[in-house]
Amino acid sequence: MSTILNADPAELAKFSELAHRWWDMDSEFRPLHMINPLRLDWIQSLCPIAGLRALDVGCGGGILADSMARKGADVTGIDLSTKALKVAQLHAFEAETPRIAYREISAEALAAEAPGSFDVVTCMEMLEHVPDPASVVRACSDLVKPGGWVFFSTLNRNPKSFLFAILGAEYILNLLPRGTHEYAKMIRPSELASYCRQAELDVQQTSGMEYNPLTKRYSMSADTGVNYLFATRKPI
């Protein structure tokens, strides 16, 4: 078994430097706070999570993990950023979030340790930051129970995505810190679908997410040209 860690040290350092700002609603993480209710509602519409065991892969400061716990799931959040996890743990303590735990471990390592342990696995805004996204998809498949759901969100790779997600969001609107995303690491839906097939995950639904710079609001849509989400399920 390979001991090479599927993580980019530069990416970990980038997010670690900002870790103390994860729960600042006016910080660089404001977009994550804005889209979190949308993606949580989408997950809930397909798989009501109350009473289920949920895993958030690449949880960062715990924005999605915390909200899933508050919806009644028994949540584990994992990440490889020590600083981000400390922020997540501190927030859970201060906010008295029930049924939540955090671990510094990779998806691949946890899959080897505890396969088939979760009813729901989420991996949001993470695949475009790792050297081998297909490996993470496989690990997510290994971690979920047969019949369980795995949800992904990431960024498409095309000229429109470059224009909106990098030039627009990072350089013009300043929604994200410059250098947050690398165009070459973005993932086309066809590529993610291939990773899912190889990992024996059936794609059940796809959705897009759009930002309106005039209203400064995000919304779910059928347009997967920039931000998009996959709902997949492991066959029984």
Side-chain angles (χ1 to χ4, degrees):
M1 179 177 174
S2 174
T3 57
I4 297 174
L5 198 62
N6 184 20
D8 183 337
E11 293 282 355
L12 289 176
K14 182 166 60 182
F15 287 101
S16 291
E17 286 179 13
L18 298 171
H20 63 289
R21 297 173 67 84
W22 269 101
W23 287 92
D24 179 350
M25 303 295 182
D26 295 317
S27 74
E28 298 88 343
F29 296 105
R30 177 178 172 80
L32 289 183
H33 288 281
M34 293 176 71
I35 67 175
N36 192 57
L38 293 173
R39 61 189 186 182
L40 181 61
D41 287 348
W42 185 68
I43 291 169
Q44 286 269 76
S45 71
L46 295 167
C47 174
I49 60 176
L52 300 183
R53 286 198 72 194
L55 174 71
D56 188 22
V57 176
C59 64
I63 294 172
L64 177 60
D66 196 272
S67 63
M68 289 197 293
R70 293 186 176 278
K71 289 292 186 181
D74 182 1
V75 180
T76 299
I78 64 171
D79 205 286
L80 292 174
S81 169
T82 305
K83 289 183 179 180
L85 286 174
K86 286 181 178 178
V87 169
Q89 290 165 338
L90 179 61
H91 180 270
F93 175 75
E94 291 179 340
E96 299 182 348
T97 306
R99 299 175 300 276
I100 195 163
Y102 292 103
R103 290 186 63 186
E104 186 174 339
I105 188 172
S106 69
E108 291 89 345
L110 186 59
E113 175 189 309
S117 295
F118 298 92
D119 303 295
V120 182
V121 177
T122 59
C123 182
M124 305 301 209
E125 315 301 327
M126 182 227 180
L127 293 176
E128 70 272 22
H129 296 290
V130 298
D132 186 358
S135 175
V136 176
V137 174
R138 284 195 301 273
C140 290
S141 177
D142 291 341
L143 283 158
V144 77
K145 298 175 182 177
W149 289 82
V150 183
F151 297 91
F152 300 103
S153 71
T154 189
L155 283 164
N156 204 335
R157 187 177 74 255
N158 57 34
K160 179 180 179 180
S161 186
F162 179 79
L163 177 64
F164 284 89
I166 295 182
L167 290 182
E170 297 182 18
Y171 289 85
I172 298 173
L173 299 175
N174 295 316
L175 294 172
L176 299 168
R178 294 182 180 186
T180 296
H181 295 111
E182 295 180 39
Y183 180 73
K185 289 185 176 181
M186 294 178 178
I187 302 166
R188 295 190 181 103
S190 59
E191 293 168 340
L192 182 53
S194 176
Y195 301 155
C196 290
R197 283 194 300 272
Q198 293 167 15
E200 298 182 340
L201 290 172
D202 294 333
V203 179
Q204 303 289 310
Q205 192 177 119
T206 63
S207 181
M209 187 177 290
E210 296 182 271
Y211 178 74
N212 186 324
L214 297 179
T215 63
K216 296 183 178 180
R217 291 185 179 276
Y218 290 87
S219 60
M220 302 296 281
S221 77
D223 185 354
T224 58
V226 184
N227 295 79
Y228 68 95
L229 303 93
F230 268 27
T232 72
R233 203 164 189 183
K234 190 169 187 176
I236 297 174

